[in-house]
Amino acid sequence: MNLLPIREWLPGYRRSDLRYDLIAGVTVSALVVPKALGYAGIALVPIQNGLYAAAVGALVYAVLGTSRQISTGPSSALAAVAASAVVTAGLPPEQAPQLVAAVTLMAGVLFVVLAVLKMGWISRFLSKAVITGFLFGAAIEVVVGELPKLTGTVASGKNSWRKLVSWLETVDDLHSATLIVGAIAVVVILTLRFVRPALPGALVLVVGGLIASGVFDLSDRGVATVGDVPRGLPRPEFPGVSMFTENFPTIAVAAVALLLIGFSQTAGDARMFASRHSYRIDVNQESVAQGLANVGSGLFQGMPVSTSLSASSLNDSSGARTQVASVITGVMVILTLLIFAPLFSDLPKPVLAAIIIDAVVFGMMDVAEVRRLWRVSRVDFWISIAAILGVLTSGVLAGVVIGMVLSLGWLVYVNASPATPELGRRPGTTTFRSLADFPDYETYPGLFVMRFDGGLFYVTTELLTELLRERAAAAPLEHVVLDFEAVNFVDSQGVGEIGRILQLADERGISVRFARMKNDVLHMLAGDGIVEHLGADHFHASVDDAVNAALSGS
């Protein structure tokens, strides 16, 4: 892991690549700037804070990242988590930026720590089904939160259900000018998405909204605008120790949620572009780059950042050759802050709401994946639905916790209930398969052949013993063959249980043989004296060998 990859690629930078990187960087900035405004709105922080994060994320990643096409910046999912932290903490609006910065900082530190310790596997504890449901639910919550901005009304409530009911109760008080602006904005951005997807819909909407605001004096007609957006760059600022100490549980949960959502996405996106363009990336370095990008964003009053697949894909399709494209994007965002920031003050809030709704609906609601889960695995589908309901009922942060519990619960259940099929021989062959799938396969009187499909440890040991007890009680047994090909882990309790099984078998005059046992498992048994007690000739390379030895009595 090279902490400064830029030292390797920058000295060899080719002048011929600058044209492509420049075009890609400017093109991506046209997508990033308006979306950063929307993501800041989701996160409940001033819109300029989204631009701070976009600039810092792009520049830090260019220095530390190993992917040539990745674009790093705010995202709708991360913004939703940050907003949930603000709501959960119950802080006033003026303190929201400090809390979001604190969450961003802690998430960045966790990213770096796990990358250095090579513990990225922790992110796998949040299953794809849970992530799909969590993002879907978070998108619905964001949309419900944006509806009042489209109608010029207010809504309140502790969860999405109550907010929706509250909004419906105030529909009679809607502001006609706000509704017209919001409806036009939604129609425009959806039309551009489906009719002219090559056009940057968010940018068109921002420019159009600003022009309409000036031409029609929308603020004088009662249409709410974003408000003062200062020109200039932020100063480095630590959120403050008190912000961490007073809100630590909320900050910690939000940071872990950001980590789980961003960690696997970071590596996956980087690998995809590296494979497409035939170069190598350092996964651990990618995590360090994303972590320090978040640390930088937090210190400069920004919000959480991660790889953006839409921005990265645009970067790639626009011809980006190196990380210089990311530098160009960061510089363009900085120029926006220095020159154009005050112009955003007149941006109508319903226009910003339309941008946000478009971003979350098409960026977080994966309807195709939910349908696939229904077709492939009903269990995963219902886990996804439970995650959605958890978010809508208890909030985004609680939804993450619910998702983690569901993921770990399902993992424990699957590992605690391994399949234990009885095997039969395919006539005329040495192949043994499950009798449940092939009931016409051969079996032999007094011989029970079983495969144990899982680890043999403290959770599963009694399962094996009880199955053998039940089988021995159901019919006279002389021989037992245990296929251990799928047993790749055994603990001390599992070894002890095998010893008790052998003792029980000795008492009943039943011979026990093992087939296809892995060396690691065999060494554990040997260490406990089981191999010596049973005899090395009772451990076989194949199920067929074990069955033949049992039937021949050798």
Side-chain angles (χ1 to χ4, degrees):
M1 185 167 63
N2 183 0
L3 294 180
L4 285 175
I6 192 172
R7 294 187 302 180
E8 293 185 357
W9 61 264
L10 187 58
Y13 186 77
R14 297 178 301 182
R15 184 177 300 178
S16 58
D17 290 337
L18 181 59
R19 171 172 169 265
Y20 297 96
D21 288 336
L22 183 61
I23 293 173
V26 173
T27 303
V28 170
S29 66
L31 172 70
V32 166
V33 169
K35 286 205 169 186
L37 304 178
Y39 297 150
I42 296 175
L44 305 179
V45 297
I47 64 171
Q48 64 267 21
N49 291 47
L51 296 176
Y52 298 160
V56 174
L59 294 174
V60 172
Y61 182 82
V63 174
L64 301 174
T66 60
S67 174
R68 302 168 190 169
Q69 283 77 34
I70 284 295
S71 178
T72 295
S75 75
S76 53
L78 303 186
V81 174
S84 184
V86 173
V87 172
T88 302
L91 297 179
E94 60 271 14
Q95 293 185 22
Q98 287 75 32
L99 180 69
V100 171
V103 170
T104 305
L105 269 171
M106 180 171 284
V109 171
L110 289 178
F111 251 104
V112 174
V113 169
L114 293 192
V116 171
L117 298 179
K118 298 183 179 180
M119 293 176 62
W121 50 267
I122 288 179
S123 63
R124 300 171 195 161
F125 282 110
L126 204 60
S127 70
K128 179 65 180 299
V130 168
I131 291 177
T132 299
F134 162 75
L135 293 179
F136 209 108
I140 295 174
E141 180 171 86
V142 170
V143 170
V144 170
E146 295 302 312
L147 290 177
K149 297 178 184 178
L150 295 177
T151 57
T153 56
V154 294
S156 60
K158 293 183 178 180
N159 59 37
S160 297
W161 308 110
R162 294 182 179 179
K163 289 177 184 176
L164 181 60
V165 172
S166 175
W167 174 73
L168 291 173
E169 290 174 346
T170 62
V171 169
D172 291 339
D173 301 324
L174 61 83
H175 188 264
S176 56
T178 300
L179 178 61
I180 292 172
V181 173
I184 292 175
V186 171
V187 170
V188 168
I189 199 166
L190 292 181
T191 300
L192 289 175
R193 175 174 289 277
F194 292 107
V195 178
R196 297 295 298 274
L199 288 178
L203 180 61
V204 171
L205 206 57
V206 167
V207 174
L210 291 173
I211 293 175
S213 181
V215 172
F216 298 105
D217 295 322
L218 294 181
S219 60
D220 292 337
R221 297 176 185 272
V223 178
T225 58
V226 168
D228 182 54
V229 180
R231 176 187 284 117
L233 301 179
R235 296 179 180 178
E237 181 180 328
F238 190 74
V241 175
S242 61
M243 180 61 68
F244 282 94
T245 56
E246 294 173 7
N247 303 282
F248 183 78
T250 300
I251 293 173
V253 173
V256 170
L258 295 173
L259 178 74
L260 293 176
I261 294 169
F263 211 107
S264 58
Q265 182 182 2
T266 295
D269 291 352
R271 285 195 183 101
M272 180 181 69
F273 290 109
S275 175
R276 183 179 300 174
H277 295 280
S278 302
Y279 64 86
R280 298 181 64 182
I281 55 105
D282 185 332
V283 174
N284 289 320
Q285 181 61 32
E286 285 297 300
S287 298
V288 170
Q290 295 296 333
L292 292 180
N294 275 281
V295 170
S297 179
L299 290 176
F300 281 92
Q301 306 170 43
M303 54 186 289
V305 298
S306 183
T307 61
S308 170
L309 185 56
S310 59
S312 300
S313 298
L314 179 60
N315 199 32
D316 182 33
S317 62
S318 300
R321 299 287 181 88
T322 71
Q323 292 90 323
V324 168
S326 186
V327 174
I328 300 298
T329 297
V331 170
M332 292 299 296
V333 176
I334 289 175
L335 290 177
T336 300
L337 284 164
L338 293 174
I339 301 173
F340 302 111
L343 295 178
F344 296 125
S345 302
D346 295 326
L347 182 66
K349 283 190 175 181
V351 170
L352 189 61
I355 294 173
I356 291 171
I357 290 173
D358 175 76
V360 299
V361 168
F362 295 98
M364 296 168 63
M365 291 185 175
D366 195 344
V367 177
E369 177 63 16
V370 173
R371 289 176 176 173
R372 190 187 74 85
L373 292 177
W374 174 260
R375 294 194 309 268
V376 175
S377 172
R378 296 295 169 86
V379 172
D380 282 345
F381 171 80
W382 289 114
I383 287 177
S384 180
I385 296 299
I388 293 174
L389 295 177
V391 171
L392 297 181
T393 304
S394 305
V396 173
L397 290 189
V400 171
V401 175
I402 292 170
M404 291 176 63
V405 171
L406 288 173
S407 294
L408 293 174
W410 179 241
L411 179 65
V412 170
Y413 173 78
V414 169
N415 282 276
S417 307
T420 54
E422 181 178 357
L423 307 181
R425 188 202 301 266
R426 181 179 179 182
T429 71
T430 60
T431 301
F432 284 79
R433 303 288 291 276
S434 170
L435 289 174
D437 298 327
F438 302 92
D440 57 336
Y441 276 23
E442 295 176 348
T443 58
Y444 303 92
L447 173 63
F448 177 57
V449 184
M450 187 190 80
R451 187 177 69 239
F452 196 83
D453 290 343
L456 187 63
F457 56 107
Y458 66 95
V459 176
T460 61
T461 52
E462 292 185 5
L463 173 64
L464 178 60
T465 305
E466 289 304 313
L467 284 172
L468 294 177
R469 284 181 185 275
E470 292 174 5
R471 190 63 177 81
L477 277 183
E478 297 179 12
H479 307 284
V480 171
V481 172
L482 298 176
D483 181 6
F484 265 33
E485 182 190 27
V487 179
N488 53 17
F489 171 74
V490 61
D491 66 358
S492 59
Q493 191 166 328
V495 174
E497 196 68 23
I498 290 177
R500 283 185 285 276
I501 289 173
L502 295 179
Q503 182 179 2
L504 179 64
D506 289 343
E507 293 172 355
R508 299 192 178 189
I510 301 173
S511 72
V512 179
R513 295 177 180 273
F514 294 91
R516 303 195 291 183
M517 182 178 288
K518 290 181 170 56
N519 286 334
D520 291 344
V521 178
L522 186 64
H523 290 159
M524 289 281 289
L525 268 61
D528 207 34
I530 291 176
V531 174
E532 182 180 359
H533 167 76
L534 190 60
D537 58 336
H538 280 61
F539 296 85
H540 303 273
S542 70
V543 177
D544 183 63
D545 289 346
V547 169
N548 290 336
L551 294 177
S552 66
S554 62

